[in-house]
Amino acid sequence: MRKLAYLLLFLLSFISIQAQITNPAKWQSKIEKKSDTEYTITWDAVIEKNWHLYSQYNPEGGSLPLEFIYNNQEGNYTLEGKAKESETKTSFNDVFGVDEIYFVDSAKLVQDIKITNPAVETIQVELAYQVCDEMCISQSNLFVYDLKTLETKEVKNFEDIATTAVDTKKDSDTTDTTVATTGNAKEEKKGLFTIFFLAFLSGFAALLTPCVFPMIPMTVSFFTKQSKTRAKGIKNAIIYGLSIILIYVVLGTIVTAIFGADSLNALSTNVYFNIIFFLLLVIFATSFLGAFEIMLPNSWANKVDSQADRGGIVGILFMALALAIVSFSCTGPIVGTLLVEAASKGGIAPIVGMLGFSLALALPFMLFAMFPGWLNSMPRSGGWLNTVKVSLGFLELALAFKFLSNADLVLQAHWLEREVFLAIWIAIFGAWALYLLGKIRLPHDSPTDSISVGRLFMALLVSVFTIYMIPGLWGAPLKIISGFPPPMTYSESPYGVGGKGGNGGGVATAIPDGAKLGAHDIIAFTDYEKGMAYAKSVNKPVLLDFTGFACVNCRKMEDYVWSEAEVLSILKNEVVLISLYVDDKKELPESEQYISETTGKKIKTIGNKWSDFQMKHYQANAQPYYIVLDKEGNRLNEAVGYMPDAPDYKAWLESGINKVK
């Protein structure tokens, strides 16, 4: 029964790996003439269900971005900016520690080109891109555009135009062959629903501030007293609530229109964007903590308030606008933070965010107008409102350092490494806990001899969270807040304070020629021939590992499976590990470059070489891809891909190793 289960597992893994060789993104392209020297090229991609195609703006350190390589551009034509993209989505990848940007279902890109050499007859453009599901496959398509006939030809064999290609810059070489890296477009995406939900909660938080909460009974009483009938009062209150929603949705629409729906998400990895909003959030937090009030000019409120006396729908609309202006000192920082977060997601996220925020803000006014008796059950205004406001200030201050961390990660400046970030958060949340316990008083706090039970429970919760973060300074993973601090590798002590790396099996004192210390200090060869020669000399089987630097599931296997003591002991003591990186950008010497028999494309880089090696010998192009070989290079078991269950992976390793024994 166990053998049958393994057979089915290997078969399913093999089938899924074979399916990767096909391309989940199908492209069509055309060229249009705008004038004698101006042309527009359009690329349309249909992406298979559940797959994602990464944007040209996908940040460095994440999955491979879409890249345009213009082979004969130099001296012939210029590009009018970067290609314009259709709507993309953004989600945080906690393995790479970056916000990844990608297309779903379809992609459209448009590039304007200006001809500078009248003699040029064609434009040659290569698209190199990555598509991901549970695994990722990178592909490259070459299009040739005839400027006279405006015909488009997709070239299947890159060797066919090898003599006409002009631009072969080194930084373009990684895209000349079909490679596959495994990523995992994170399942938990902050889509529009999540933005709406978070914005809705933010709206309720804004209600519990000193600027808004006291206005609920005042406003509801106004509608119930001024209206001749209860039905009329309810109608006016509903119009008032809808007016609040309209005002904030218009604000979200303006933000989207100013920045552009298709380009907002690119801001999330922009250094200047992150630094500016770090400073903004610090200002917002300082305001909430009581240092000063952020207020709109009083003249605005007076003018709007005077219009509210006009009556009718117009008067109600101006009443809602007056609420927005008067309460700005409390709602402004929340709205600003929300717009920052929503804007970084792109598309209509700012509009959806403002809809959720304003709906939560407007609902109480409408509901209390319908059921005035509920007003008697409302808690009275008091010092607790300022406590809520100050608590929001602490949260905004903590969030601000996430934006600063994003900028530091993009720059790789190492100013805000993991330990420093955690120390700042521990200080912020620790101060918040002391504030809730009454040990710290801020400018607008009311004097009190005791604290409420609710405030005490909140203080205990914040204290527990603060204590939870402290071991992170010594290398604890802190999975609850994964994605907020910089990754473990971006720290002063990647192995933890005092750690020497690795566990289970020890670290070898000498590293053989052609090898390096890999994950968990496992000796790993990065060259197939040198690794096989070493395996023969020590008489051990080989674990052949096809991997990639931009391979999410490869990192997950190393972090969560290889780290298990029993698996790690096998990898360090019983096999020779050969890790071949299919996305290694180092260029091969000219004498070692060749045309692939499998794809017809030129093999220029080390990554190209190992990808072609995998396809030629194992008919697969997916990573991670593991095979146990004997010292002569013969297979000892079936190949497997991503296998997150450590006991299953251990059993698979032993199934090959035991054949040698």
Side-chain angles (χ1 to χ4, degrees):
M1 204 52 197
R2 187 177 179 86
K3 290 183 178 179
L4 179 59
Y6 275 113
L7 179 60
L8 288 173
L9 176 65
F10 296 148
L11 182 59
L12 288 172
S13 176
F14 186 74
I15 291 173
S16 66
I17 289 167
Q18 294 302 312
Q20 299 175 60
I21 299 180
T22 60
N23 187 0
K26 310 299 181 185
W27 289 90
Q28 289 185 339
S29 183
K30 64 179 180 179
I31 186 170
E32 298 174 297
K33 186 174 183 179
K34 297 167 61 179
S35 69
D36 290 341
T37 59
E38 296 176 316
Y39 293 82
T40 298
I41 299 178
T42 304
W43 297 272
D44 288 285
V46 177
I47 307 167
E48 292 184 11
K49 187 178 180 180
N50 298 326
W51 289 80
H52 307 81
L53 187 151
Y54 286 91
S55 161
Q56 61 186 322
Y57 298 107
N58 205 47
E60 184 177 353
S63 300
L64 299 179
L66 171 65
E67 184 178 7
F68 295 91
I69 304 162
Y70 296 85
N71 288 330
N72 63 335
Q73 177 185 354
E74 188 173 353
N76 292 323
Y77 52 88
T78 59
L79 309 178
E80 302 295 320
K82 298 193 77 170
K84 298 175 184 177
E85 294 187 349
S86 58
E87 184 177 350
T88 56
K89 293 189 176 182
T90 302
S91 65
F92 187 79
N93 188 316
D94 57 0
V95 175
F96 292 143
V98 297
D99 284 311
E100 295 198 314
I101 306 168
Y102 51 88
F103 301 94
V104 176
D105 298 329
S106 64
K108 185 182 184 71
L109 299 108
V110 180
Q111 178 67 64
D112 292 324
I113 293 177
K114 187 172 184 179
I115 302 299
T116 56
N117 177 14
V120 67
E121 297 180 350
T122 63
I123 295 176
Q124 301 170 10
V125 187
E126 183 181 344
L127 271 65
Y129 53 93
Q130 188 173 72
V131 279
C132 295
D133 183 11
E134 291 183 351
M135 58 191 67
C136 287
I137 301 172
S138 293
Q139 294 279 9
S140 55
N141 295 53
L142 180 60
F143 294 94
V144 178
Y145 306 91
D146 192 310
L147 297 182
K148 292 183 178 180
T149 64
L150 299 184
E151 292 182 353
T152 300
K153 178 183 179 183
E154 183 175 0
V155 181
K156 301 298 183 182
N157 192 324
F158 283 38
E159 190 177 11
D160 291 345
I161 64 163
T163 57
T164 63
V166 175
D167 187 4
T168 56
K169 295 182 180 178
K170 179 179 178 179
D171 60 359
S172 300
D173 290 345
T174 58
T175 61
D176 289 324
T177 186
T178 301
V179 298
T181 56
T182 298
N184 194 11
K186 193 174 180 182
E187 294 179 0
E188 298 176 4
K189 304 177 180 72
K190 280 191 176 180
L192 293 180
F193 177 80
T194 307
I195 290 292
F196 178 86
F197 179 72
L198 293 176
F200 193 78
L201 293 180
S202 300
F204 275 122
L207 276 173
L208 302 178
T209 58
C211 312
V212 181
F213 189 81
M215 298 185 71
I216 296 176
M218 293 171 55
T219 306
V220 172
S221 297
F222 172 82
F223 285 125
T224 54
K225 290 179 181 179
Q226 295 296 320
S227 303
K228 295 181 180 180
T229 64
R230 183 170 180 269
K232 183 69 173 178
I234 293 174
K235 176 184 175 182
N236 289 340
I238 292 175
I239 295 174
Y240 181 71
L242 294 176
S243 299
I244 294 173
I245 295 173
L246 176 64
I247 290 168
Y248 283 100
V249 169
V250 168
L251 176 61
T253 304
I254 291 173
V255 170
T256 303
I258 291 174
F259 289 100
D262 294 335
S263 59
L264 278 167
N265 50 13
L267 295 175
S268 63
T269 55
N270 182 279
V271 173
Y272 298 107
F273 171 90
N274 282 283
I275 291 176
I276 288 171
F277 282 107
F278 161 73
L279 296 174
L280 278 178
L281 292 188
V282 169
I283 294 172
F284 291 159
T286 306
S287 172
F288 268 168
L289 293 174
F292 52 83
E293 295 285 345
I294 300 176
M295 299 180 65
L296 295 176
N298 288 330
S299 59
W300 292 15
N302 294 333
K303 289 180 181 179
V304 170
D305 191 53
S306 64
Q307 296 295 320
D309 297 330
R310 296 173 58 180
I313 294 178
V314 175
I316 295 174
L317 178 62
F318 276 102
M319 282 187 65
L321 185 57
L323 170 69
I325 294 174
V326 171
S327 64
F328 184 80
S329 60
C330 291
T331 60
I334 299 175
V335 170
T337 304
L338 183 61
L339 284 174
V340 169
E341 181 65 18
S344 69
K345 304 305 172 189
I348 61 171
I351 299 174
V352 173
M354 288 298 94
L355 176 62
F357 177 85
S358 58
L359 183 62
L361 201 62
L363 273 177
F365 291 96
M366 293 187 285
L367 292 176
F368 280 112
M370 294 177 183
F371 308 99
W374 289 4
L375 289 173
N376 298 325
S377 62
M378 282 182 62
R380 294 181 179 181
S381 300
W384 68 272
L385 290 174
N386 190 66
T387 301
V388 172
K389 184 178 176 182
V390 169
S391 295
L392 292 174
F394 280 113
L395 284 173
E396 293 231 2
L397 188 60
L399 180 61
F401 282 94
K402 173 57 183 169
F403 284 94
L404 186 61
S405 174
N406 289 344
D408 184 57
L409 284 167
V410 172
L411 291 172
Q412 290 290 296
H414 288 269
W415 295 334
L416 196 62
E417 292 180 324
R418 185 178 176 89
E419 292 89 347
V420 178
F421 183 96
L422 289 175
I424 292 171
W425 267 37
I426 290 169
I428 292 172
F429 283 92
W432 184 13
L434 292 174
Y435 170 79
L436 292 172
L437 289 169
K439 302 300 181 182
I440 297 175
R441 284 185 57 189
L442 292 171
H444 299 295
D445 286 326
S446 303
T448 179
D449 296 327
S450 62
I451 60 174
S452 66
V453 174
R455 183 167 172 171
L456 175 62
F457 279 134
M458 188 65 187
L460 292 174
L461 180 63
V462 175
S463 299
V464 168
F465 181 68
T466 304
I467 296 170
Y468 167 78
M469 289 190 290
I470 293 175
L473 297 172
W474 287 271
L478 305 182
K479 293 183 180 180
I480 291 178
I481 57 173
S482 176
F484 281 93
M488 293 285 290
T489 54
Y490 196 79
S491 64
E492 295 178 5
S493 305
Y495 295 117
V497 176
K500 297 181 180 179
N503 56 45
V507 180
T509 56
I511 301 176
D513 180 44
K516 67 175 185 178
L517 283 181
H520 312 292
D521 292 329
I522 304 169
I523 294 177
F525 287 85
T526 55
D527 181 272
Y528 180 79
E529 298 297 335
K530 291 182 178 179
M532 292 304 300
Y534 181 77
K536 290 180 181 179
S537 68
V538 296
N539 195 29
K540 288 183 178 180
V542 169
L543 174 61
L544 186 57
D545 164 33
F546 288 98
T547 184
F549 295 114
C551 172
V552 177
N553 280 353
C554 300
R555 301 294 84 78
K556 286 187 174 181
M557 287 293 294
E558 293 165 3
D559 292 343
Y560 301 114
V561 177
W562 288 13
S563 60
E564 292 295 320
E566 293 181 347
V567 174
L568 188 58
S569 177
I570 293 174
L571 297 179
K572 284 190 172 184
N573 302 312
E574 298 186 39
V575 298
V576 173
L577 176 62
I578 302 178
S579 295
L580 304 180
Y581 289 83
V582 301
D583 55 358
D584 191 329
K585 297 182 179 181
K586 295 185 183 68
E587 188 174 348
L588 290 167
E590 188 70 30
S591 59
E592 296 182 21
Q593 296 181 14
Y594 63 96
I595 300 297
S596 169
E597 297 177 3
T598 307
T599 64
K601 301 175 183 179
K602 189 170 184 180
I603 303 303
K604 299 179 182 178
T605 68
I606 293 175
N608 296 165
K609 174 183 176 181
W610 298 132
S611 177
D612 187 57
F613 180 84
Q614 183 185 9
M615 286 188 287
K616 180 178 179 180
H617 293 281
Y618 303 106
Q619 295 75 50
N621 67 338
Q623 289 77 48
Y625 189 80
Y626 305 109
I627 316 166
V628 178
L629 309 174
D630 64 19
K631 62 182 180 180
E632 302 297 332
N634 302 309
R635 288 193 193 194
L636 296 175
N637 59 5
E638 292 292 339
V640 297
Y642 181 56
M643 187 183 286
D645 188 79
D648 286 349
Y649 189 76
K650 174 178 177 289
W652 172 81
L653 283 172
E654 291 174 338
S655 70
I657 295 171
N658 289 339
K659 290 183 179 180
V660 176
K661 293 181 179 179

